[in-house]
Structure formats: C-alpha cells, structure tokens
Amino acid sequence: MNLCTGAVYICSMRIFLLSACLFSAFFAADAQVFMRQPDNAAALAVGGATVALPGVELGIGNDAQAVKGEGWGLLASSAMPYELSEWQTLRFQAFAKVGEADAVGFDIHHSGIEVYAEQRFRVRYARRLGQRIFLGVGGEMLRVSANEYGSANAFTGGLGFLANPWSTLWIGGQLNNPFQQSLAGSTLPTVFQVGAAWRASDAFVMTGEVEKDLERDAEIKAGLQYRPNELLVFRAGIRTHPGRPAMGVGVRVFDHLFIDTGAEWHTSLGFTPALMVSWR
C-alpha cells in the first residue's frame, strides 16, 4: 500500500466510523439524537463557561444575554471537531436592542458530514427587569437529515436569567427543553446550566458553571479572560467529563470588527480548532 492509497483509506475509514455513529444515534430509540456541537471560538477558549457573563462578546449562551448587547451585532463561527475536515460546523448569531429594556436575538447552528446533517434555529427575546435582573426566553426548531432516510423536525425552547447582586458578581442560568420534546423517536436532552462570573475589572474576568443533562453526569466548566489593552484579549478554560483544556486569543481589527480564535484538547479525540468573526 503506497502513501497516497493509505491516506485515502484512513480518510474513508474515519468517514465510515463517524457516519456509523451518527446513523445509530439517529435511529436508536433510546439515543440522544444530536451530536455535541462545539461552542463558538471565544466560548470554546474559556471552557464553554459563558452562561453568567454580562455581555455578548463570547456569543449568546443564555437567552437573557441579548439585552446586554450594545445596539446590534453579528457573530459567525466555524470549528473543525477533532481535526476531522469531513465534519463541518457553523454557528451564526445576531442580536439587536429594540428598546431601552428589550432585545431580540437569532441563532443558527449547522453541523454535519456529507451524508448526515443537523440544524438548530433559535429566536430569542430578552428583557431587563429593574437594574439588576434580566430574563430571556427562546423558541427553537431542530432538524436532522440523512441522505437516504429523509429528515425529521421538532420544536422546543427554553428560558434564561442574569442577575447582578453585587457590582462585580454576576449569576446566570439557562434551561433548555424543559418539556422533554422528542425527535426521530428519541427524547431530546433536557439541560440546565447555572454559573457565576466575577468581573474584577474591565481587564480581568473569571467565570464558572455547572451543566446538568438529565441523562448525563454533571459537567463543570471554568474559564478566565484577560484583556491587557483594547486590541488584545487572552482566554483559557477547562471542562470535565473528560477533562478538556482550552485556550484562545481575540483581536480587535477595527472599531467594531473582532476576530477570535480558540482550541480545545480532548484527551482521546484530539484538537478542536475554531475561528469567529464578529461585528458588534
């Protein structure tokens, strides 16, 4: 077997094994249908611990966060899970303030390979209640499709909150799929996240959260962000089950244009690099 033939063989086997896993998840009655899609680049770099962050620079991980954005913004991110070029992912988010105390948001996820794909479409509404409490609600359509087996759709939703009990401390939570909707014969995951963020200054933020899926063990996430000046930001984080360290760098290109990178290391599956471009 020459080098070229060997490379083609390895690539084909990776696609076959990935496809087999996805098809089994799609048709197994007791399986959870959706793959675990990677976070956007900035959120990935802090270990995914974003539910309590008082802003949108790392994306919107909590339905209530949209109201913390300034004006309007767009964020587009792509990742290569475990360096599998056959696995394509894309996430696009948008938000806009529609009043002093109200905001709306939109979120699109795409993840898949040539023969199997998943999409999520989410709309959000967030409102500020007083000076220190923010609430949000989201409605979501989920879709899975496989080339020869057709497609399936489902509708679900969730709600989130942010609170600022002290000037430097934020608390946040998000509940998704509270009514345990099903898709393709499988019950979609019901996930609850709760966390806190300590914003010591504009330059330094620490954040942590616990994520609990009803069918999985609790996952702990932690991260930090350091901004030495207005042009650069450094991020690092980790999450459990299994332990996955992450890091990344963000750059302010123009007044409103930002580029963020992130990478996560899975002890068994390898690297997941990600890139995000945002205007906010």
Side-chain angles (χ1 to χ4, degrees):
M1 181 182 293
N2 59 39
L3 182 60
C4 181
T5 303
V8 172
Y9 173 77
I10 292 173
C11 182
S12 300
M13 286 301 296
R14 291 172 79 182
I15 295 175
F16 172 78
L17 292 173
L18 180 58
S19 301
C21 292
L22 296 177
F23 286 144
S24 65
F26 188 80
F27 294 108
D30 296 326
Q32 290 184 350
V33 177
F34 275 77
M35 293 183 286
R36 298 286 288 182
Q37 299 182 10
D39 296 310
N40 69 51
L44 189 75
V46 295
T50 63
V51 74
L53 287 175
V56 296
E57 61 182 295
L58 277 71
I60 303 173
N62 176 341
D63 287 327
Q65 285 170 334
V67 77
K68 291 297 294 176
E70 296 291 337
W72 61 275
L74 305 171
L75 305 93
S77 181
S78 182
M80 186 186 297
Y82 317 121
E83 296 184 285
L84 288 169
S85 59
E86 306 86 8
W87 187 345
Q88 299 178 346
T89 72
L90 175 66
R91 186 172 187 181
F92 175 82
Q93 291 185 317
F95 67 89
K97 295 290 284 291
V98 293
E100 285 295 322
D102 303 270
V104 294
F106 190 68
D107 200 335
I108 300 175
H109 279 258
H110 170 82
S111 179
I113 59 175
E114 183 179 358
V115 294
Y116 177 84
E118 305 173 348
Q119 290 89 31
R120 296 172 179 255
F121 306 90
R122 191 179 188 94
V123 292
R124 294 183 162 99
Y125 170 74
R127 182 171 178 81
R128 186 182 68 200
L129 303 178
Q131 294 298 316
R132 296 181 178 273
I133 298 177
F134 308 81
L135 297 179
V137 61
E140 189 170 49
M141 186 187 86
L142 305 96
R143 176 181 175 84
V144 292
S145 59
N147 279 0
E148 298 181 3
Y149 300 93
S151 62
N153 303 299
F155 295 89
T156 185
L159 50 90
F161 78 92
L162 277 175
N164 182 211
W166 294 283
S167 59
T168 59
L169 178 66
W170 288 80
I171 298 172
Q174 175 74 25
L175 175 63
N176 282 317
N177 192 36
F179 302 111
Q180 296 188 289
Q181 298 297 307
S182 297
L183 175 60
S186 299
T187 301
L188 293 167
T190 295
V191 180
F192 179 66
Q193 300 161 262
V194 63
W198 177 51
R199 191 164 190 161
S201 66
D202 290 339
F204 186 75
V205 179
M206 293 183 65
T207 181
E209 72 179 68
V210 177
E211 178 180 310
K212 183 65 176 78
D213 182 327
L214 291 183
E215 304 298 328
R216 300 171 184 264
D217 293 335
E219 182 178 44
I220 299 173
K221 309 174 186 179
L224 58 87
Q225 175 174 279
Y226 173 62
R227 187 185 303 277
N229 53 56
E230 293 185 357
L231 299 179
L232 281 175
V233 58
F234 300 97
R235 302 181 178 103
I238 192 169
R239 68 181 83 195
T240 61
H241 296 300
R244 287 172 283 167
M247 62 185 303
V249 177
V251 179
R252 183 174 187 168
V253 182
F254 299 115
D255 285 347
H256 303 287
L257 181 63
F258 300 80
I259 296 178
D260 295 282
T261 64
E264 181 184 78
W265 170 253
H266 190 291
T267 54
S268 301
L269 301 175
F271 274 108
T272 295
L275 175 70
M276 182 173 74
V277 178
S278 60
W279 180 276
R280 59 182 193 273

